[in-house]
Amino acid sequence: MEENYSKPPGIRFMERAKKSSLSFKTYQAIVLIVTFLAYASYHATRKTTSIVKSALDPQTPGVDGLMFPWQRHTTQESSRLSWMLKDGWLPFNGHDGTAMLGQLDVSFLFVYAMGMYFSGHVGDRMDLRIFLTIGMVGTGLFTALFGVGYWANVHIFYYYLIVQMMAGLFQSTGWPSVVAVVGNWFGKKKRGLIMGIWNAHTSIGNITGSLVASILLKYGWGWSMVVPGSIIAIIGVLVFLFLPVHPESVGANHDEDEDEVFSPRKEGEEVTEPLLRSDREEESAVGFIEAWKIPGVAPFALCLFFAKLVAYTFLYWLPFYISHTAIDGKYLSNEEAGNLSTLFDVGGVVGGILAGYISDRLGARAITAASFMYCAIPVLYLYRSYGHISMTINIILMLITGVFVNGPYALITTAVSADLGTHSSLKGNSRALATVTAIIDGTGSIGAAIGPLLTGYISAMSWSAVFTMLMGAAFIAGLLLTRLVVAEVGANIHQLGSPRSRSPDLEV
């Protein structure tokens, strides 16, 4: 009875239609596709606010993120004219509208980061399919409620602030859940490569959200929020219908693909039992403090703090930086700068796949992540120093920057989180994936909020100072993995000549 209850209704329908169980690889394909769509929709709704800003505050340049004092170049006369023409949307089209939009961003990211810890804790204690569905429908509801303010003629700042904070809370359910589910279905052997490819959902979601919101903006900014909100809610229903959380929930046979999913009952091997199982009383979810004590969790969480600080600074500020930097003596429009900035995401997709593949081949997550972070330092310097010479050089350097900045970020939030959530120190207790993922990405998300905030103030003095900050953050991120790198180097040297090598456990 328990197994039938936990099996998704859509899977049961497919098996009845086929009159037999699906193959293990078919289940894996369903998991990858459904979780890919799920998290892409999370990022699509997260991106819409940045597009709507130009309609809420016409005096705000086309900037994807926080704005601060240097925007005082807007003249008093143009502000008065904008007010008389009733451009924009009260209260965001006033003299302090830019600051209000900045407060929405900071509030969203802060609640998202704090909610991540809570979501991981809850996610390891309930059915992740249900938990993810609730998170997606809730995200869709509050994203749409932001847009409803357009038709309801709402001009109260605190309405939009509360709605954004609630959206951030529900958004925090996504990442721990999807990583935990994918981690349940794929073993370490190819986890880095598979998750590197799968992690493209972030960039696809960003691009899709931007395109959908931009197209709908001319019909009224409310549509740019309501439609993406409706889309994520619909995909949330698909998650409820089709997402198998773990092999046991659908009666899948591990032996069909022994290399992909490690059997929890093989002596001497790392235990990767399913996250949720019918006989729950046999094991309890790992506590928040216990999860922090898992070897490798704290170093990777702190590393991601600085890695995300760098990555999200580019996410929020790159279009602004491009539009305010002459390339080959010519300034690009806000639209051109926004389009050009998408190449950073393209580089990020390549970086995520490359980092995952290399870490699989080397059997060394920490070495790969640290190497990418150290390589990002000279690349950031080159982009700042020579990116303005020509469009070709700018494009090449931007792509390379995306590779080295987003590569380790993608690796740590996917394969590393899944590895640590099934660490051998758990001794068979697999109910830690969501908690570990939440700890790592939640800590990283605090850095994601701090980076753009610091950039807002530092860039008022000098963009070179901003890039110096980013290079320093990349250096610290690599430095935090030193002990793990040394451990992995030692483990790999020890395993040289071994007929069958396995990825070393992440120990310190």
Side-chain angles (χ1 to χ4, degrees):
M1 289 298 292
E2 180 72 16
E3 183 177 331
N4 290 333
Y5 176 77
S6 62
K7 184 178 290 189
I11 296 294
R12 290 204 297 267
F13 176 80
M14 292 172 65
E15 290 178 341
R16 286 198 198 101
K18 189 182 176 184
K19 296 182 179 179
S20 66
S21 297
L22 304 176
S23 69
F24 194 84
K25 288 189 179 293
T26 300
Y27 286 125
Q28 287 181 316
I30 291 173
V31 168
L32 288 177
I33 292 171
V34 173
T35 53
F36 185 98
L37 291 175
Y39 206 69
S41 66
Y42 270 105
H43 259 266
T45 54
R46 193 178 305 176
K47 189 72 175 177
T48 53
T49 310
S50 63
I51 303 300
V52 168
K53 284 178 182 177
S54 61
L56 299 177
D57 179 13
Q59 297 306 316
T60 300
V63 186
D64 182 19
L66 307 175
M67 325 267 181
F68 287 92
W70 54 86
Q71 294 176 342
R72 290 171 187 160
H73 64 272
T74 302
T75 63
Q76 220 175 9
E77 291 76 13
S78 63
S79 295
R80 278 202 300 268
L81 179 60
S82 174
W83 190 275
M84 287 189 300
L85 294 175
K86 296 185 179 180
D87 288 340
W89 191 263
L90 283 169
F92 302 106
N93 62 351
H95 63 89
D96 57 348
T98 295
M100 289 182 176
L101 293 173
Q103 290 172 29
L104 293 184
D105 287 330
V106 173
S107 299
F108 175 91
L109 288 170
F110 180 78
V111 173
Y112 174 79
M114 294 299 102
M116 189 76 73
Y117 296 118
F118 172 80
S119 296
H121 183 77
V122 175
D124 276 329
R125 287 160 174 78
M126 67 178 292
D127 189 330
L128 283 173
R129 177 169 59 92
I130 306 299
F131 186 59
L132 191 55
T133 300
I134 293 173
M136 296 179 72
V137 173
T139 297
L141 172 64
F142 285 100
T143 300
L145 282 176
F146 193 103
V148 167
Y150 173 76
W151 292 285
N153 206 29
V154 177
H155 299 282
I156 303 171
F157 170 70
Y158 289 103
Y159 168 82
Y160 298 102
L161 181 67
I162 293 172
V163 166
Q164 275 294 85
M165 292 174 71
M166 292 301 298
L169 180 62
F170 278 98
Q171 280 262 354
S172 68
T173 62
W175 193 240
S177 301
V178 295
V179 172
V181 172
V182 174
N184 286 335
W185 283 92
F186 294 91
K188 274 190 176 182
K189 186 175 179 181
K190 297 179 182 178
R191 184 182 280 165
L193 176 60
I194 291 171
M195 284 190 157
I197 297 172
W198 171 78
N199 194 62
H201 50 46
T202 298
S203 298
I204 297 299
N206 287 339
I207 294 170
T208 302
S210 297
L211 292 176
V212 171
S214 297
I215 292 172
L216 296 173
L217 201 57
K218 60 187 176 183
Y219 301 108
W221 65 263
W223 291 108
S224 297
M225 302 298 292
V226 170
V227 172
S230 301
I231 291 174
I232 190 174
I234 292 171
I235 295 178
V237 175
L238 293 178
V239 166
F240 175 79
L241 293 175
F242 292 101
L243 182 64
V245 172
H246 54 82
E248 277 72 9
S249 68
V250 291
N253 186 1
H254 285 217
D255 294 332
E256 290 185 33
D257 200 342
E258 215 169 304
D259 285 336
E260 288 299 315
V261 179
F262 294 116
S263 171
R265 296 174 178 82
K266 289 184 180 178
E267 275 191 46
E269 291 193 3
E270 181 177 347
V271 181
T272 55
E273 287 183 342
L275 182 68
L276 299 174
R277 46 188 285 181
S278 58
D279 50 343
R280 291 177 182 221
E281 64 275 11
E282 292 186 11
E283 63 177 32
S284 59
V286 174
F288 183 78
I289 302 300
E290 291 176 286
W292 267 105
K293 294 178 180 178
I294 296 173
V297 168
F300 271 112
L302 294 174
C303 172
L304 189 63
F305 175 95
F306 291 98
K308 261 196 160 183
L309 185 152
V310 178
Y312 269 65
T313 296
F314 270 87
L315 176 68
Y316 277 80
W317 286 105
L318 186 57
F320 182 92
Y321 174 75
I322 293 173
S323 65
H324 288 73
T325 302
I327 301 176
D328 196 15
K330 177 186 175 184
Y331 286 92
L332 301 181
S333 67
N334 291 327
E335 182 180 356
E336 291 171 331
N339 292 334
L340 181 61
S341 69
T342 59
L343 294 176
F344 179 80
D345 277 325
V346 174
V349 172
V350 176
I353 296 172
L354 189 61
Y357 176 75
I358 292 174
S359 70
D360 281 344
R361 297 286 292 179
L362 296 178
R365 309 290 195 210
I367 292 174
T368 304
S371 298
F372 270 65
M373 292 310 307
Y374 288 135
C375 288
I377 297 172
V379 172
L380 287 167
Y381 174 79
L382 291 173
Y383 182 70
R384 170 58 182 165
S385 301
Y386 302 103
H388 65 280
I389 293 177
S390 71
M391 182 62 71
T392 301
I393 293 176
N394 190 286
I395 289 173
I396 293 173
L397 290 176
M398 189 187 304
L399 285 168
I400 297 174
T401 302
V403 169
F404 289 108
V405 168
N406 281 350
Y409 157 41
L411 178 66
I412 294 171
T413 55
T414 54
V416 169
S417 296
D419 289 351
L420 292 172
T422 55
H423 194 273
S424 58
S425 66
L426 296 172
K427 298 177 181 177
N429 190 344
S430 63
R431 296 180 62 189
L433 266 172
T435 300
V436 168
T437 301
I439 286 173
I440 292 176
D441 201 50
T443 304
S445 295
I446 297 174
I450 292 175
L453 183 64
L454 291 177
T455 300
Y457 292 105
I458 297 174
S459 63
M461 300 179 290
S462 167
W463 274 106
S464 293
V466 171
F467 276 83
T468 300
M469 176 193 74
L470 297 180
M471 289 186 284
F475 177 74
I476 295 173
L479 208 60
L480 286 166
L481 297 180
T482 300
R483 291 181 65 191
L484 295 178
V485 169
V486 172
E488 285 185 348
V489 170
N492 282 328
I493 291 175
H494 180 72
Q495 290 178 5
L496 283 177
S498 175
R500 181 178 178 231
S501 62
R502 290 176 56 223
S503 298
D505 226 348
L506 295 166
E507 301 275 7
V508 290

